[in-house]
Amino acid sequence: MLGFFIRRLLSAIVVLWLAASITFVLMRSIRGGPFTSEKAGSEKAIAAKMERFHLDGSLWEQYSAYMRALATFDLGDSTKYLDWRVSELLAQKMPTSLTLGMVSFIIASIGGVLLGAVSALWRDTWVDRVAMIGALVAISVPTFVTGPLLIAVVALWLGWLPVGGWGTVHQLVLPSICLAAPYVAYVARLMRNSLLDVLQSDFLRTAKAKGLRDGQALIRHAMKVAILPVVTFLGPLAAHLLTGSMVVESVFNISGAGSIFVNSIQNHDVFLLGGAVIVYCVLLQLFNLVVDVLYGVLDKRIRVYG
Amino acid sequence: MAEVASPTALSQPGGWTILRRSRVSMLALWFLVGLVFVAVLVPPFLPDELKLTSKDSLLPPGAACSASEGVIYLCGTDLNGHDLFYRLLTGAQVSLGVGFVGALLSLFVGTLYGMISGFAGGRIDAFMMRVLDVLYSVPRILFIMIFIAALGPYLTDWLDAARLWAQGHGWTTMEDLMVTAIRYSRIIIMVICLGLVEWLTMARIVRGQVLVLREMTFVTAARAMGQSNPAILRLHLLPNLATVVLTYLTLTIPAVILDESFLSFLGLGIDDPAASWGSLLKDGAQVINPLDSKWWLLFFPATLMSITLLALNFLGDGLRDAFDPRSRSR
């Protein structure tokens, strides 16, 4: 078990190192630096700024300076918002995106499992058909279509919920539904197929032959196995929700981490972008570790390995 | 030469029949074929007034064009006076083109990766699958954004160098080709980046199939006859993978189209004067307000895009039901 954690930690460090390196090297090879577009900047002033951020010298020197800073958990300063540390900017914006992501995650996983289970149990009835066609529609309609649609109908026409913004529970409802919708559908399809497989499997037939009645006990028996593929999907799901929230934030006018990515790419803000990428990757690595451990707990046949 | 044996369990002859019997899949297929034809054939025949910016800004559908008699805007106009109908069709060319070529690219990478991993087996397989797991958990779309921003200008430079080189050698065809390519370099870099990212599921599916196939007797027979590994992969495994690959190609196209529109919606993909469904939706979402709704700017691109993605997904599901032995029972 300890060996497993050490191996996972090492692989996580490799992933983070790669992500940070790729981001830094690519951002530094974009034509035009972070300060070239500024009007007042004479060449001397730009050079001074570049020196302050350790962005002068060869690419290798810049890269090793950045890596040395990262090794001491220092994400650096923003080159766009002067006098702001990257960690401060992220601490301000990340909670919004994380809250939105977390609520959507709960909706997607629980809603999807329930919907998929209902579809499988009432297989080939109208309930199943409606649910599965609905799921395909939800997967096919992009969030930047459902978003404005929800705003137009629920917020503007019916006037039940606010159009956008952030801060109250009411403002959380539409964005999280919008973000979760396609993934409710993914999880539901996964759950339905997996439960159908299990319901046809030998061990359940044996259990039935031994006298286990349909109903609660059977469902609990089958669900425990059928949920495993859904658990493996939770890691990618978290990754999708984190990035997917970019569009949802822009549609609902929420100032979260999504704008950091778009803006810092356009502003050549190397350190802010690098910091955001690192934080995202750390979160996802942590999350995947949790999922793997959970998987081991749920399925005794799987020995947790690296 | 050894013939291509087809294991009955994997490529049942009934596949196409099952597909043809599925009414929804056929409807989806005909819709897609029709859309491609309309998107390619109709724009050249539209009146020229509709193809340019005009002073007819934000007119509703059915309004008459001020520049010439008898021309109406079928789907209204946008802020710059572009005819939305024309832009929808050219946008369809871009979106469908990006989706198809990107998916083809991902098919190539994914099939290669999956075949090598599954056929090699053992430690190599375990390592390659671990790499895949790690890639799954990385926010890939972020890296696409960075790749596009960083590599786009270099592609343009490189294409321009190729153009000058062709000019120096007097190869006018290639020069013209490069001029066109430079104009579309933004789209090209997007296709490449998206294609190189969306191959993960394909690799996993192909690997699973190869694991089954390589234990089949016809593979053992081929090996006993002394065929080399590359020959076995090419002659015996690849043909048997064709239908699975086709199915996931159909399901990858909507994924790539979604990615493209995602980027364009955020302003990092296709931009004016070119249009894709994503960039049209971005324009539409910007003008949404309760007092004076320009509904057509959102309604038409959203509907067309959603129906297209739905058709692709229906067709993909139909193909999977028809050809994937595992989903046959459902």
Side-chain angles (χ1 to χ4, degrees):
Chain A
M1 200 61 176
L2 186 69
F4 162 74
F5 279 113
I6 291 173
R7 253 173 307 180
R8 284 306 293 263
L9 187 68
L10 286 178
S11 105
I13 290 173
V14 171
V15 170
L16 289 178
W17 169 68
L18 277 176
S21 306
I22 291 172
T23 310
F24 187 81
V25 171
L26 281 177
M27 283 309 287
R28 286 306 296 148
S29 50
I30 295 181
R31 212 160 313 151
F35 309 114
T36 37
S37 59
E38 280 169 34
K39 293 167 220 144
S42 71
E43 260 171 53
K44 228 175 183 175
I46 291 178
K49 272 185 184 164
M50 292 296 261
E51 201 186 331
R52 181 191 141 193
F53 286 101
H54 298 292
L55 291 174
D56 53 343
S58 70
L59 186 60
W60 171 249
E61 283 164 10
Q62 299 173 24
Y63 172 73
S64 48
Y66 185 50
M67 285 299 138
R68 271 199 301 276
L70 284 184
T72 59
F73 299 100
D74 177 12
L75 295 176
D77 300 336
S78 165
T79 58
K80 170 75 184 174
Y81 310 102
L82 294 171
D83 306 326
W84 280 88
R85 300 193 59 71
V86 167
S87 48
E88 289 170 341
L89 283 167
L90 288 175
Q92 203 180 58
K93 304 270 185 177
M94 284 301 289
T96 311
S97 294
L98 284 183
T99 314
L100 182 58
M102 212 135 68
V103 174
S104 303
F105 183 83
I106 293 169
I107 298 177
S109 47
I110 295 179
V113 166
L114 288 179
L115 197 66
V118 166
S119 278
L121 291 175
W122 277 275
R123 183 190 171 183
D124 291 334
T125 62
W126 65 269
V127 180
D128 180 26
R129 291 220 181 87
V130 168
M132 284 304 112
I133 290 176
L136 209 53
V137 172
I139 289 174
S140 301
V141 181
T143 43
F144 42 83
V145 172
T146 36
L149 196 72
L150 282 174
I151 292 180
V153 175
V154 181
L156 296 179
W157 190 36
L158 298 171
W160 288 348
L161 288 164
V163 172
W166 188 255
T168 66
V169 180
H170 291 275
Q171 285 169 323
L172 188 61
V173 178
L174 286 185
S176 46
I177 290 177
C178 175
L179 181 56
Y183 302 105
V184 173
Y186 270 116
V187 175
R189 278 160 60 111
L190 209 59
M191 184 66 197
R192 175 180 180 270
N193 286 355
S194 148
L195 191 56
L196 283 180
D197 272 346
V198 174
L199 289 175
Q200 290 161 357
S201 65
D202 293 336
F203 87 89
L204 261 189
R205 207 172 305 146
T206 314
K208 270 189 215 164
K210 281 183 170 174
L212 186 70
R213 291 267 163 268
D214 280 15
Q216 265 203 325
L218 175 71
I219 290 172
R220 210 175 293 161
H221 238 66
M223 286 286 261
K224 228 165 130 186
V225 182
I227 208 150
L228 289 175
V230 176
V231 175
T232 52
F233 181 65
L234 293 182
L237 173 66
H240 282 298
L241 286 176
L242 274 185
T243 46
S245 81
M246 269 189 253
V247 159
V248 174
E249 282 167 21
S250 124
V251 168
F252 288 92
N253 203 6
I254 297 167
S255 144
S259 59
I260 287 186
F261 283 103
V262 180
N263 293 339
S264 57
I265 287 177
Q266 282 164 349
N267 297 332
H268 300 259
D269 199 339
V270 191
F271 299 118
L272 185 53
L273 183 66
V277 167
I278 289 170
V279 170
Y280 268 34
C281 288
V282 167
L283 285 172
L284 290 173
Q285 292 293 320
L286 267 178
F287 190 79
N288 276 297
L289 183 68
V290 174
V291 168
D292 279 1
V293 172
L294 189 67
Y295 201 87
V297 171
L298 282 172
D299 191 350
K300 296 286 184 296
R301 287 169 307 181
I302 307 274
R303 205 164 45 84
V304 173
Y305 72 101
Chain B
M1 272 324 271
E3 276 182 18
V4 179
S6 61
T8 45
L10 284 162
S11 55
Q12 275 147 334
W16 291 112
T17 320
I18 293 176
L19 183 69
R20 225 171 290 138
R21 268 193 220 128
S22 157
R23 219 173 289 156
V24 188
S25 304
M26 285 334 258
L27 195 68
L29 181 64
W30 286 117
F31 171 78
L32 291 169
V33 170
L35 178 69
V36 170
F37 269 96
V38 171
V40 173
L41 295 180
V42 170
F45 295 106
L46 289 175
D48 286 334
E49 297 84 41
L50 298 181
K51 297 179 186 172
L52 303 165
T53 52
S54 67
K55 55 184 188 324
D56 302 341
S57 178
L58 293 172
L59 292 180
C65 174
S66 63
S68 66
E69 285 288 310
V71 177
I72 58 161
Y73 298 115
L74 216 53
C75 299
T77 61
D78 69 3
L79 194 65
N80 297 323
H82 287 115
D83 176 41
L84 189 60
F85 183 67
Y86 175 71
R87 299 211 102 199
L88 277 177
L89 293 185
T90 48
Q93 289 175 6
V94 172
S95 287
L96 291 174
V98 168
F100 186 70
V101 181
L104 266 188
L105 207 61
S106 79
L107 173 145
F108 181 74
V109 180
T111 310
L112 198 67
Y113 192 94
M115 279 177 84
I116 292 173
S117 178
F119 199 70
R123 276 170 176 270
I124 299 177
D125 181 37
F127 175 74
M128 285 175 88
M129 282 303 115
R130 183 83 194 107
V131 170
L132 215 59
D133 283 341
V134 170
L135 287 179
Y136 255 114
S137 69
V138 167
R140 299 192 293 282
I141 203 102
L142 297 184
F143 286 96
I144 298 185
M145 290 178 177
I146 300 171
F147 274 115
I148 291 175
L151 302 179
Y154 289 99
L155 180 78
T156 318
D157 281 1
W158 188 78
L159 288 171
D160 200 47
R163 184 186 64 84
L164 286 174
W165 187 79
Q167 202 175 33
H169 287 71
W171 294 351
T172 39
T173 331
M174 186 174 161
E175 199 189 327
D176 292 344
L177 193 73
M178 287 302 141
V179 171
T180 324
I182 289 168
R183 194 166 350 130
Y184 296 111
S185 65
R186 184 98 184 167
I187 301 178
I188 295 173
I189 191 79
M190 248 173 106
V191 167
I192 295 173
C193 290
L194 288 174
L196 293 183
V197 157
E198 283 291 350
W199 53 272
L200 303 181
T201 310
M202 182 73 88
R204 197 168 264 187
I205 305 270
V206 167
R207 175 212 172 232
Q209 284 288 314
V210 170
L211 282 184
V212 177
L213 285 169
R214 70 175 190 152
E215 302 302 329
M216 298 257 163
T217 20
F218 66 92
V219 174
T220 320
R223 195 170 289 146
M225 284 170 67
Q227 258 185 346
S228 65
N229 280 342
I232 294 177
L233 280 172
R234 193 164 49 86
L235 293 170
H236 298 285
L237 296 189
L238 205 54
N240 282 304
L241 289 170
T243 50
V244 175
V245 167
L246 178 70
T247 303
Y248 284 90
L249 175 70
T250 318
L251 290 171
T252 310
I253 294 174
V256 178
I257 292 180
L258 265 180
D259 283 347
E260 179 274 318
S261 58
F262 184 100
L263 292 172
S264 299
F265 186 84
L266 290 175
L268 295 168
I270 311 288
D271 229 336
D272 276 345
S276 78
W277 288 340
S279 73
L280 292 177
L281 282 167
K282 178 187 70 176
D283 297 344
Q286 275 166 359
V287 295
I288 188 170
N289 72 63
L291 298 173
D292 182 20
S293 112
K294 307 276 183 277
W295 57 271
W296 59 93
L297 286 180
L298 210 51
F299 175 77
F300 290 113
T303 314
L304 189 58
M305 182 171 176
S306 303
I307 293 178
T308 306
L309 293 177
L310 198 60
L312 281 164
N313 279 324
F314 265 125
L315 185 61
D317 274 10
L319 279 166
R320 188 165 50 188
D321 287 346
F323 289 111
D324 188 345
R326 286 205 24 174
S327 71
R328 182 60 65 81
S329 56
R330 293 168 207 129

